[in-house]
Amino acid sequence: MYDPLKNLDINKKDPIILGIESSCDETAAAVIRGRKILSDEIASSASVQAQFGGVVPEIASRAHTDAVAEVVERAVKNAGISYADIDAVAVTYGAGLLGALLVGVSFAKAFAYALNKPLIAVNHIRGHLAASYLSAPELKPPFVTLLASGGHTAILYAKSEAEFEILGATLDDAAGEAFDKVARVLGLKYPGGPNIEKCALDGKANVPMPKMLKGGGGYNFSYSGLKTAVINYCHTKEQKKEEFSKADVACSFQKAAVDVLVEKTVSAAKEKGVNTVTAGGGVAANTYLRSSLQAACEQNGLTLVLPEKRYCTDNAAMIASEGLVQYRLGNFAEMDLTAKASIPLAATLETVQSRRAEERKV
């Protein structure tokens, strides 16, 4: 009988958490003991997706189906543990590509059931926030976090490990989304972020770009106008048959996209009176953003905690890290957990376990 919560000690000093991530084109599994990473394995279909200029959901789902069992087996083996040593299984249940998520969730449920281990449902975005705990095990809230990914861009105030406040967010496109779209306009390959960064190294920020709510809008962002400005600039040059430097456009776009993120993040930290700033999401792997944020934090007497670049992009270690947070809180899911393609940024994790506990009281 599946009864993983019997005799479970949520106060165990360093529980071993297996994390599984399959929200997009990365099939990933990782094992952590406390906040120490024991293994981190990834199988990516990005090279296949690049042939189509972006992620094809059906191809991603099939790739996850083929890879998930092997990736999990490799993660456990390389962690130097046995299946019996695992204290809980954490899996991304949203947000992301529904078919891709279903592969990870279905595998995690079967795996947890077979081993009689607790199942933890992880919000992918909270995973990005929890990545910082892996780089700085001593990190504790309160702090301000810059979240910049392909689906979300926001500044968050972490009051505790379980609760955060949204100070501002994008009003339209996310930063990572804008990077991908601009890369396509410039004829650069998918994924756009690293290719924009590489192209910008040979350019100068001499192409006029809009300010993007830089001096207004509170802590909100807008990337739609910046993306359109790049499209219009390139198309105008092409129609007039005028030459232009793609490197200069990439460099100018990158500076405009990143500078406002840095400025508003530091401003938010000062307003909240916190001493620590963190960042997460794929855009946080951008070298210009990392160096600019580091310089701004040093100038303002703030401590910056940045995950390693590989833990900014999608990975299972961050899912395991957030799984540890939920483990400590006693938030566990049951076998009717399902995937969700969309989860509001402010949503509190709904766990079947806590819902049914309330039902039993009625």
Side-chain angles (χ1 to χ4, degrees):
M1 179 179 179
Y2 181 66
D3 187 15
L5 303 187
K6 185 178 181 180
N7 300 322
L8 179 70
D9 179 12
I10 63 173
N11 295 313
K12 183 177 180 179
K13 183 179 179 182
D14 291 312
I16 295 176
I17 310 293
L18 167 67
I20 299 174
E21 153 65 17
S22 67
S23 64
C24 193
D25 59 350
E26 311 278 1
T27 309
V31 177
I32 64 173
R33 178 185 284 117
R35 289 183 173 179
K36 180 181 179 181
I37 301 172
L38 300 183
S39 67
D40 178 30
E41 302 295 326
I42 294 179
S44 177
S45 63
S47 60
V48 177
Q49 309 290 352
Q51 300 175 27
F52 302 93
V55 178
V56 180
E58 177 65 18
I59 293 176
S61 299
R62 289 179 181 274
H64 288 309
T65 302
D66 291 339
V68 63
E70 179 184 349
V71 171
V72 169
E73 181 180 3
R74 201 163 67 229
V76 174
K77 179 180 179 181
N78 292 340
I81 63 169
S82 68
Y83 291 141
D85 293 326
I86 297 171
D87 290 299
V89 179
V91 63
T92 305
Y93 81 103
L97 302 175
L98 187 58
L101 288 165
L102 283 169
V103 174
V105 169
S106 298
F107 184 90
K109 290 198 295 185
F111 192 84
Y113 185 90
L115 295 178
N116 198 36
K117 302 293 184 180
L119 179 69
I120 301 173
V122 174
N123 180 329
H124 182 82
I125 297 306
R126 288 181 179 264
H128 278 302
L129 302 182
S132 293
Y133 292 124
L134 300 173
S135 296
E138 73 286 352
L139 176 66
K140 293 181 180 179
F143 50 78
V144 164
T145 293
L146 168 63
L147 170 64
S149 69
H152 293 87
T153 299
I155 296 177
L156 311 171
Y157 170 52
K159 300 177 180 179
S160 67
E161 289 185 342
E163 183 182 8
F164 64 82
E165 174 188 350
I166 301 174
L167 302 180
T170 182
L171 303 178
D172 37 61
D173 291 352
E177 181 183 5
F179 269 86
D180 284 338
K181 291 179 177 178
V182 168
R184 193 174 297 119
V185 171
L186 294 178
L188 303 177
K189 293 182 179 180
Y190 172 87
N195 287 308
I196 286 282
E197 180 181 343
K198 183 178 179 181
C199 183
L201 292 174
D202 297 322
K204 298 179 180 178
N206 56 13
V207 179
M209 294 287 167
K211 293 185 177 181
M212 303 168 40
L213 302 180
K214 185 174 182 179
Y219 295 117
N220 290 326
F221 304 95
S222 174
Y223 280 93
S224 179
L226 178 60
K227 172 199 66 182
T228 301
V230 173
I231 293 173
N232 290 341
Y233 176 86
C234 294
H235 285 182
T236 298
K237 290 291 185 180
E238 291 169 353
Q239 289 172 355
K240 292 182 177 181
K241 301 187 183 303
E242 296 177 355
E243 293 186 358
F244 67 95
S245 168
K246 290 185 178 181
D248 288 348
V249 175
C251 185
S252 301
F253 162 78
Q254 178 178 256
K255 179 175 173 55
V258 168
D259 284 355
V260 67
L261 294 174
V262 172
E263 178 184 305
K264 292 195 174 187
T265 300
V266 171
S267 178
K270 293 170 67 177
E271 179 182 316
K272 286 297 182 179
V274 299
N275 298 319
T276 304
V277 170
T278 73
V283 181
N286 180 278
T287 301
Y288 177 69
L289 186 151
R290 295 169 76 89
S291 60
S292 297
L293 191 56
Q294 181 67 60
C297 285
E298 289 177 358
Q299 185 177 355
N300 288 275
L302 301 171
T303 298
L304 176 64
V305 175
L306 283 175
E308 293 180 30
K309 287 188 176 184
R310 66 178 297 177
Y311 299 125
C312 292
T313 54
D314 291 351
N315 65 89
M318 71 180 193
I319 301 305
S321 181
E322 175 60 18
L324 175 61
V325 172
Q326 299 305 318
Y327 182 95
R328 295 293 193 208
L329 295 172
N331 287 336
F332 302 103
E334 290 191 12
M335 286 297 117
D336 57 356
L337 174 70
T338 190
K340 294 185 178 181
S342 178
I343 303 176
L345 183 59
T348 299
L349 283 176
E350 175 190 355
T351 61
V352 178
Q353 185 70 28
S354 60
R355 172 166 57 81
R356 289 192 172 166
E358 290 299 317
E359 290 174 352
R360 286 192 291 268
K361 294 178 183 179
V362 177

